[in-house]
Amino acid sequence: MRKEIEGKIYFNAIGFGKIAKFDFMEVQKSLLQDQAEAFYDDLEQKIIDLSVIFRDIKHSLTDVSENATRIMNIIFNHLDSGMFYDCFRTHVQGGNLTVSEAYSKAVHEHFNKDNTALYREIGKDVLLFREYLYDLVSRITLHYEMYVFKRFTERLLTDYIVVVDEFKIEYLDEMSERMKGMICKKAKNLNLVREYSNSFEIPIVIARIDTQASYNAIVDAINQRLIINPEPEDIIEYREILKEQTFLEGEKPRYHSERVKLYAQMVDDRYINRIVFDRWFQGVCPFKSEYMISTNELHLTYDYQYNFFCKTFKEMKNKEFFYRIPDFRHERPTVFLGDVYTDVETYELLAPILDDILLAVARAAKKYDVDIHVIVPMIRMPEEVKFWRDTIKVIFDTAGVFDVKIGIVIETESALEYFEDYPKMDFIIIGLNDLAEEISDEYDRYSPLSKEEFIELFWPDIRELHQHLRSFTMQVKHIVSGNCLTNPWIFKKLINSGFTHFAVPVNQIRKLEKMLEQYENTRGFYIGYAELHKKNEDVIKANQLERERRRILKSKAQALEKYKKAREKRQQIRDEHKEKREIAIQKMLDDRDSREKTEKVEKKKKNPDQK
């Protein structure tokens, strides 16, 4: 029977597939029956891999790195012992505990028994030992759950909507393209759900359902509807809506993409075959590398990164690839790294790990001759650019890639305000998502901006930035990125104003196709069509120089006007502060006089004879 269920759905898209309920114990029992030894071998290997990367992270981030390494080695030696594994297997084979619960119980029993030798070895670092043991074990038990979850999804051969008890970002690690949505009974952090749902382009529902796994489901985030066991007419309707949002492999676009270039945002390799097909996309921009790390710290290793990018670059053919340096921040937490933020200081702390990641990307790009660009996020000061440029260039030179292109993201208020102070880059990304949150208290990156709201919020600033970047002296490629671009009227405003490069979600491309087709039909396909028919190149250059001269004069006039307004504002503030200061001083003097009078009266009362 058809049923609609209430719930909060994130990411403005639609998912359709068969319901697949993840039952940890059921899948675990199946794995133990079919391949018990391989199952245990995989779990034991995870302990080794996690311990190694965990030790490297602690060594990089702690001030007591020698102690950190020593304590980690003690923990690993115990967790890798035959006695511990026997205890762990015994609890698993008891049949009543998940592998995660069995592991936690084995740890508790092993480290809480009378073990004088262990604590003699730990010495004074008992608190550090307990902290590291708890952190590592919590990661191991989570990875065990993710291991069982992946074995479960590998068996699903059709498009599916997975049902889990609680949302965890780790469920999205190496996600199959067949996963079309996720239903979670609960979530500790709804902002995290929204962040990952949008970045991975998958609708996620927070709702309680009790239904058969064999039923189909439609997850409609556009209309906030979750339909269980939909009728045939529901399915037909939603398949038509899906066609209006994105394309299937093999479909060709209606635009020619000679002038306006679209790039696909990417966090994993699910959509690589669609991205490289035909002329839908010019390439990938940006590849948001922090997501593959935040969902699984094992991806921090050189080997994983090299193999992943070799596989990805092999498919890229002649497409451009813009790799973003991991953009760590609180809204996409990396539990194992702590509360880190992408800046020069963090990079220097994690240099042994992050240098390896960049080297892996560089060598994979060299192997497959990919047109590689490296994006530096969250730049606030022009002085930071030199550090990043030197660091990236040295690593890519080491890999034999001598022509790597390096650019920054204009996504902070200070970068937008002082863009003319920044050195010339190979390219610029204009990040509207972060800019919306930096310059406005009313909107965030998910706000469904109208064209009018967009103009009010961004237009004067990004138009001035656009004119600067495309000027005769600069001529820098600049790519506009942001969730608001999926509004076709905002997209139309930008292309009509001369913007030509955009980064958009793969699953929202159809929304822009019609606008781009109309634009090409009215403007022509080719850049500089009129220029191709000019006979005198000197005239063209003279026109360009004259436009640049007028632009410089206009910029100077704007700067002078801006300076005057700022000076007047500062004077106004100083005057206001002066008045407030005088009032405050007068009040202090009045209070003092009043206090002195009161003290005299009190003194007279106590000593009436004293004059």
Side-chain angles (χ1 to χ4, degrees):
M1 180 183 294
R2 182 186 187 278
K3 182 164 56 174
E4 285 197 30
I5 296 175
E6 290 187 3
K8 178 62 181 173
I9 310 177
Y10 296 91
F11 184 54
N12 194 31
I14 292 171
F16 171 72
K18 193 175 290 294
I19 289 176
K21 284 187 174 182
F22 174 52
D23 185 318
F24 197 148
M25 280 299 295
E26 187 180 314
V27 180
Q28 177 180 309
K29 287 177 182 176
S30 173
L31 290 170
L32 286 169
Q33 286 173 358
D34 298 342
Q35 40 188 312
E37 285 308 310
F39 178 67
Y40 283 120
D41 286 346
D42 286 345
L43 297 184
E44 290 170 11
Q45 184 60 46
K46 281 206 172 292
I47 295 178
I48 297 171
D49 295 341
L50 277 165
S51 297
V52 170
I53 193 67
F54 194 81
R55 182 188 61 195
D56 290 345
I57 291 169
K58 292 297 183 186
H59 186 84
S60 297
L61 293 178
T62 181
D63 292 331
V64 287
S65 55
E66 288 185 11
N67 265 359
T69 303
R70 184 177 69 83
I71 293 298
M72 283 303 306
N73 287 338
I74 293 171
I75 292 171
F76 174 70
N77 290 337
H78 280 266
L79 297 182
D80 195 46
S81 66
M83 184 184 300
F84 177 80
Y85 279 131
D86 288 343
C87 180
F88 168 51
R89 287 192 180 208
T90 299
H91 289 310
V92 174
Q93 290 163 357
N96 297 320
L97 301 175
T98 67
V99 285
S100 297
E101 292 166 343
Y103 194 84
S104 294
K105 187 171 183 179
V107 168
H108 179 78
E109 290 179 1
H110 183 85
F111 288 101
N112 282 282
K113 65 184 179 182
D114 183 18
N115 201 330
T116 308
L118 167 65
Y119 287 98
R120 188 183 304 121
E121 192 177 5
I122 295 169
K124 297 178 180 179
D125 297 312
V126 175
L127 292 178
L128 191 65
F129 169 80
R130 288 176 179 167
E131 177 192 335
Y132 284 7
L133 177 64
Y134 173 81
D135 288 349
L136 179 58
V137 170
S138 66
R139 296 307 299 173
I140 290 173
T141 53
L142 179 58
H143 272 267
Y144 280 2
E145 182 180 343
M146 296 308 118
Y147 172 82
V148 175
F149 178 76
K150 283 181 185 174
R151 300 292 82 79
F152 166 67
T153 57
E154 284 171 0
R155 299 178 177 185
L156 302 173
L157 304 178
T158 59
D159 290 351
Y160 61 90
I161 308 290
V162 69
V163 180
V164 297
D165 286 334
E166 183 179 343
F167 173 77
K168 296 174 183 175
I169 60 175
E170 289 80 6
Y171 284 131
L172 304 177
D173 175 40
E174 296 182 337
M175 181 170 48
S176 166
E177 192 178 0
R178 291 190 296 274
M179 188 192 291
K180 300 301 180 182
M182 179 181 287
I183 302 172
C184 312
K185 294 179 182 176
K186 59 183 178 179
K188 291 178 181 175
N189 185 338
L190 293 179
N191 288 330
L192 204 61
V193 177
R194 183 167 67 166
E195 169 73 19
Y196 278 75
S197 174
N198 276 270
S199 295
F200 280 83
E201 298 187 35
I202 180 171
I204 298 178
V205 191
I206 307 301
R208 291 188 172 275
I209 69 167
D210 183 18
T211 189
Q212 295 181 27
S214 58
Y215 284 162
N216 287 322
I218 293 173
V219 180
D220 175 8
I222 299 171
N223 300 300
Q224 290 293 303
R225 298 168 71 194
L226 171 59
I227 304 174
I228 306 297
N229 197 25
E231 299 290 348
E233 51 266 31
D234 291 322
I235 297 172
I236 292 170
E237 177 190 348
Y238 278 101
R239 280 181 173 158
E240 288 302 313
I241 296 174
L242 274 172
K243 287 180 184 178
E244 294 173 3
Q245 290 196 317
T246 190
F247 65 97
L248 299 175
E249 206 171 318
E251 288 186 272
K252 291 181 178 291
R254 298 200 300 267
Y255 55 81
H256 292 265
S257 193
E258 293 292 341
R259 175 177 172 79
V260 177
K261 309 291 185 184
L262 301 183
Y263 295 83
Q265 299 172 11
M266 190 170 164
V267 294
D268 54 20
D269 60 355
R270 276 174 301 146
Y271 301 133
I272 190 67
N273 290 330
R274 293 167 64 197
I275 291 169
V276 301
F277 176 76
D278 208 76
R279 58 179 182 271
W280 285 99
F281 296 104
Q282 182 74 9
V284 171
C285 179
F287 180 84
K288 304 173 184 179
S289 62
E290 64 276 4
Y291 287 93
M292 67 191 302
I293 295 170
S294 66
T295 55
N296 190 339
E297 63 264 46
L298 292 179
H299 297 341
L300 281 167
T301 63
Y302 171 87
D303 289 342
Y304 181 90
Q305 294 283 322
Y306 179 72
N307 291 331
F308 175 87
F309 283 105
C310 279
K311 178 185 171 187
T312 301
F313 291 160
K314 186 178 180 181
E315 303 295 330
M316 284 303 296
K317 300 170 186 175
N318 296 319
K319 303 284 186 178
E320 297 175 71
F321 194 91
F322 289 75
Y323 171 88
R324 185 169 78 188
I325 284 175
D327 186 5
F328 298 125
R329 55 176 82 182
H330 71 275
E331 56 260 39
R332 33 184 180 269
T334 46
V335 177
F336 42 90
L337 289 178
D339 189 18
V340 295
Y341 187 89
T342 297
D343 55 18
V344 173
E345 184 181 352
T346 298
Y347 191 96
E348 288 177 332
L349 278 174
L350 294 170
I353 296 170
L354 297 180
D355 282 355
D356 270 359
I357 290 176
L358 275 179
L359 185 61
V361 174
R363 285 178 173 162
K366 172 71 174 176
K367 182 175 181 179
Y368 290 99
D369 193 26
V370 169
D371 186 6
I372 188 76
H373 305 65
V374 178
I375 307 169
V376 182
M378 277 294 157
I379 291 287
R380 293 188 180 274
M381 302 292 290
E383 294 77 17
E384 298 173 63
V385 173
K386 185 178 187 307
F387 166 83
W388 290 108
R389 183 179 264 159
D390 292 348
T391 300
I392 294 164
K393 184 136 184 35
V394 165
I395 292 171
F396 274 75
D397 283 354
T398 302
V401 180
F402 302 107
D403 57 348
V404 60
K405 299 177 184 70
I406 302 169
I408 63 172
V409 191
I410 301 292
E411 59 186 335
T412 64
E413 189 173 9
S414 58
L416 183 63
E417 187 173 352
Y418 301 108
F419 61 80
E420 290 180 327
D421 296 339
Y422 284 79
K424 185 175 180 180
M425 308 298 294
D426 296 314
F427 62 91
I428 294 289
I429 310 293
I430 303 174
L432 299 181
N433 286 345
D434 286 292
L435 279 175
E437 296 178 348
E438 285 242 345
I439 66 180
S440 169
D441 295 326
E442 299 177 25
Y443 305 107
D444 62 26
R445 65 187 59 225
Y446 307 108
S447 298
L449 296 177
S450 67
K451 177 184 170 182
E452 292 70 28
E453 289 169 335
F454 171 82
I455 291 171
E456 182 182 351
L457 182 61
F458 292 118
W459 194 243
D461 291 322
I462 66 167
R463 180 179 56 190
E464 189 177 348
L465 174 60
H466 171 58
Q467 295 296 342
H468 172 72
L469 294 174
R470 75 174 185 174
S471 66
F472 182 66
T473 54
M474 293 291 289
Q475 296 186 6
V476 175
K477 176 193 288 188
H478 44 292
I479 302 172
V480 184
S481 172
N483 295 331
C484 63
L485 294 181
T486 56
N487 180 333
W489 299 105
I490 292 175
F491 178 68
K492 182 180 180 180
K493 170 68 177 174
L494 288 165
I495 58 177
N496 284 342
S497 302
F499 289 86
T500 55
H501 294 71
F502 303 90
V504 298
V506 174
N507 286 326
Q508 306 281 307
I509 185 69
R510 284 281 196 199
K511 292 181 179 180
L512 309 180
E513 182 186 31
K514 186 177 180 180
M515 282 296 180
L516 188 48
E517 182 187 23
Q518 289 175 354
Y519 173 81
E520 289 185 341
N521 288 339
T522 56
R523 301 293 182 90
F525 303 154
Y526 304 103
I527 296 176
Y529 179 82
E531 279 78 356
L532 292 175
H533 292 77
K534 290 184 185 291
K535 296 179 181 179
N536 192 340
E537 290 186 0
D538 291 338
V539 173
I540 298 171
K541 289 180 181 178
N543 288 341
Q544 289 174 330
L545 287 169
E546 176 59 22
R547 283 197 298 272
E548 179 61 15
R549 186 186 70 81
R550 288 200 301 268
R551 190 200 69 79
I552 291 171
L553 290 173
K554 184 179 178 181
S555 294
K556 285 182 177 179
Q558 287 175 340
L560 182 60
E561 184 64 25
K562 193 174 181 180
Y563 170 73
K564 286 179 180 177
K565 287 182 179 178
R567 187 175 62 185
E568 290 171 2
K569 183 69 176 174
R570 285 195 297 271
Q571 185 61 47
Q572 182 184 348
I573 291 170
R574 280 197 295 269
D575 291 343
E576 288 175 356
H577 285 178
K578 184 179 179 182
E579 288 178 18
K580 289 178 182 177
R581 186 165 157 271
E582 288 174 351
I583 292 169
I585 291 171
Q586 187 59 50
K587 188 175 185 307
M588 288 169 63
L589 292 172
D590 292 343
D591 288 346
R592 188 189 65 183
D593 292 343
S594 175
R595 206 166 44 247
E596 287 177 351
K597 287 179 182 178
T598 304
E599 286 173 358
K600 284 180 180 178
V601 171
E602 291 297 325
K603 197 172 182 182
K604 272 191 174 184
K605 286 180 181 178
K606 289 180 182 178
N607 303 290
D609 299 330
Q610 186 177 346
K611 292 182 179 179

